[in-house]
PDB file of all heavy atoms in Angstrom:
ATOM      1  N   THR F 419     -43.673  18.955  -8.902  1.00 91.00           N
ATOM      2  CA  THR F 419     -43.085  18.813 -10.239  1.00 91.00           C
ATOM      3  C   THR F 419     -43.785  17.687 -10.999  1.00 91.00           C
ATOM      4  O   THR F 419     -44.129  17.824 -12.181  1.00 91.00           O
ATOM      5  CB  THR F 419     -41.573  18.482 -10.122  1.00 91.00           C
ATOM      6  OG1 THR F 419     -40.976  19.440  -9.280  1.00 91.00           O
ATOM      7  CG2 THR F 419     -40.892  18.468 -11.474  1.00 91.00           C
ATOM      8  N   ILE F 420     -44.004  16.564 -10.316  1.00 90.00           N
ATOM      9  CA  ILE F 420     -44.621  15.416 -10.996  1.00 90.00           C
ATOM     10  C   ILE F 420     -46.066  15.748 -11.367  1.00 90.00           C
ATOM     11  O   ILE F 420     -46.520  15.456 -12.486  1.00 90.00           O
ATOM     12  CB  ILE F 420     -44.560  14.157 -10.107  1.00 90.00           C
ATOM     13  CG1 ILE F 420     -43.085  13.762  -9.951  1.00 90.00           C
ATOM     14  CG2 ILE F 420     -45.364  13.015 -10.693  1.00 90.00           C
ATOM     15  CD1 ILE F 420     -42.820  12.636  -9.014  1.00 90.00           C
ATOM     16  N   ARG F 421     -46.773  16.409 -10.462  1.00 87.00           N
ATOM     17  CA  ARG F 421     -48.179  16.764 -10.758  1.00 87.00           C
ATOM     18  C   ARG F 421     -48.241  17.647 -11.993  1.00 87.00           C
ATOM     19  O   ARG F 421     -49.053  17.413 -12.896  1.00 87.00           O
ATOM     20  CB  ARG F 421     -48.795  17.487  -9.561  1.00 87.00           C
ATOM     21  CG  ARG F 421     -48.956  16.545  -8.388  1.00 87.00           C
ATOM     22  CD  ARG F 421     -50.288  16.791  -7.656  1.00 87.00           C
ATOM     23  NE  ARG F 421     -50.554  15.693  -6.756  1.00 87.00           N
ATOM     24  CZ  ARG F 421     -50.435  15.745  -5.429  1.00 87.00           C
ATOM     25  NH1 ARG F 421     -50.070  16.882  -4.841  1.00 87.00           N
ATOM     26  NH2 ARG F 421     -50.674  14.689  -4.690  1.00 87.00           N
ATOM     27  N   GLU F 422     -47.315  18.623 -12.061  1.00 87.00           N
ATOM     28  CA  GLU F 422     -47.318  19.529 -13.226  1.00 87.00           C
ATOM     29  C   GLU F 422     -47.016  18.773 -14.502  1.00 87.00           C
ATOM     30  O   GLU F 422     -47.622  18.988 -15.548  1.00 87.00           O
ATOM     31  CB  GLU F 422     -46.283  20.642 -13.026  1.00 87.00           C
ATOM     32  CG  GLU F 422     -46.895  21.865 -12.358  1.00 87.00           C
ATOM     33  CD  GLU F 422     -45.856  22.865 -11.930  1.00 87.00           C
ATOM     34  OE1 GLU F 422     -44.817  22.951 -12.614  1.00 87.00           O
ATOM     35  OE2 GLU F 422     -46.078  23.527 -10.909  1.00 87.00           O
ATOM     36  N   LEU F 423     -46.057  17.847 -14.367  1.00 84.00           N
ATOM     37  CA  LEU F 423     -45.681  17.043 -15.524  1.00 84.00           C
ATOM     38  C   LEU F 423     -46.871  16.246 -16.050  1.00 84.00           C
ATOM     39  O   LEU F 423     -47.142  16.203 -17.255  1.00 84.00           O
ATOM     40  CB  LEU F 423     -44.588  16.070 -15.075  1.00 84.00           C
ATOM     41  CG  LEU F 423     -43.429  15.886 -16.016  1.00 84.00           C
ATOM     42  CD1 LEU F 423     -42.156  16.221 -15.254  1.00 84.00           C
ATOM     43  CD2 LEU F 423     -43.376  14.467 -16.497  1.00 84.00           C
ATOM     44  N   LEU F 424     -47.603  15.632 -15.099  1.00 83.00           N
ATOM     45  CA  LEU F 424     -48.762  14.824 -15.493  1.00 83.00           C
ATOM     46  C   LEU F 424     -49.843  15.703 -16.094  1.00 83.00           C
ATOM     47  O   LEU F 424     -50.474  15.357 -17.097  1.00 83.00           O
ATOM     48  CB  LEU F 424     -49.314  14.057 -14.278  1.00 83.00           C
ATOM     49  CG  LEU F 424     -48.417  12.916 -13.762  1.00 83.00           C
ATOM     50  CD1 LEU F 424     -48.956  12.350 -12.458  1.00 83.00           C
ATOM     51  CD2 LEU F 424     -48.315  11.809 -14.808  1.00 83.00           C
ATOM     52  N   LYS F 425     -50.024  16.890 -15.474  1.00 81.00           N
ATOM     53  CA  LYS F 425     -51.032  17.822 -15.983  1.00 81.00           C
ATOM     54  C   LYS F 425     -50.696  18.203 -17.431  1.00 81.00           C
ATOM     55  O   LYS F 425     -51.515  18.123 -18.317  1.00 81.00           O
ATOM     56  CB  LYS F 425     -51.058  19.080 -15.099  1.00 81.00           C
ATOM     57  CG  LYS F 425     -52.476  19.594 -14.891  1.00 81.00           C
ATOM     58  CD  LYS F 425     -52.535  20.972 -14.260  1.00 81.00           C
ATOM     59  CE  LYS F 425     -51.905  21.064 -12.876  1.00 81.00           C
ATOM     60  NZ  LYS F 425     -51.693  22.438 -12.454  1.00 81.00           N
ATOM     61  N   GLY F 426     -49.415  18.540 -17.652  1.00 76.00           N
ATOM     62  CA  GLY F 426     -48.947  18.937 -18.962  1.00 76.00           C
ATOM     63  C   GLY F 426     -49.197  17.858 -19.996  1.00 76.00           C
ATOM     64  O   GLY F 426     -49.546  18.114 -21.144  1.00 76.00           O
ATOM     65  N   ARG F 427     -49.040  16.583 -19.564  1.00 71.00           N
ATOM     66  CA  ARG F 427     -49.222  15.474 -20.515  1.00 71.00           C
ATOM     67  C   ARG F 427     -50.691  15.255 -20.845  1.00 71.00           C
ATOM     68  O   ARG F 427     -51.030  14.872 -21.949  1.00 71.00           O
ATOM     69  CB  ARG F 427     -48.616  14.197 -19.951  1.00 71.00           C
ATOM     70  CG  ARG F 427     -47.105  14.333 -19.821  1.00 71.00           C
ATOM     71  CD  ARG F 427     -46.504  13.122 -19.224  1.00 71.00           C
ATOM     72  NE  ARG F 427     -46.159  12.146 -20.241  1.00 71.00           N
ATOM     73  CZ  ARG F 427     -46.235  10.857 -20.080  1.00 71.00           C
ATOM     74  NH1 ARG F 427     -46.680  10.363 -18.955  1.00 71.00           N
ATOM     75  NH2 ARG F 427     -45.887  10.032 -21.027  1.00 71.00           N
ATOM     76  N   ARG F 428     -51.556  15.504 -19.818  1.00 68.00           N
ATOM     77  CA  ARG F 428     -52.999  15.312 -20.059  1.00 68.00           C
ATOM     78  C   ARG F 428     -53.511  16.354 -21.044  1.00 68.00           C
ATOM     79  O   ARG F 428     -54.302  16.076 -21.914  1.00 68.00           O
ATOM     80  CB  ARG F 428     -53.765  15.410 -18.737  1.00 68.00           C
ATOM     81  CG  ARG F 428     -54.062  14.018 -18.180  1.00 68.00           C
ATOM     82  CD  ARG F 428     -54.851  14.101 -16.903  1.00 68.00           C
ATOM     83  NE  ARG F 428     -54.151  13.367 -15.853  1.00 68.00           N
ATOM     84  CZ  ARG F 428     -53.769  13.863 -14.717  1.00 68.00           C
ATOM     85  NH1 ARG F 428     -53.958  15.141 -14.429  1.00 68.00           N
ATOM     86  NH2 ARG F 428     -53.169  13.109 -13.829  1.00 68.00           N
TER      87      ARG F 428
END
Side-chain angles (χ1 to χ4, degrees):
T419 308
I420 294 174
R421 292 220 167 106
E422 269 170 31
L423 223 123
L424 290 172
K425 219 191 299 166
R427 295 178 89 215
R428 262 182 235 123

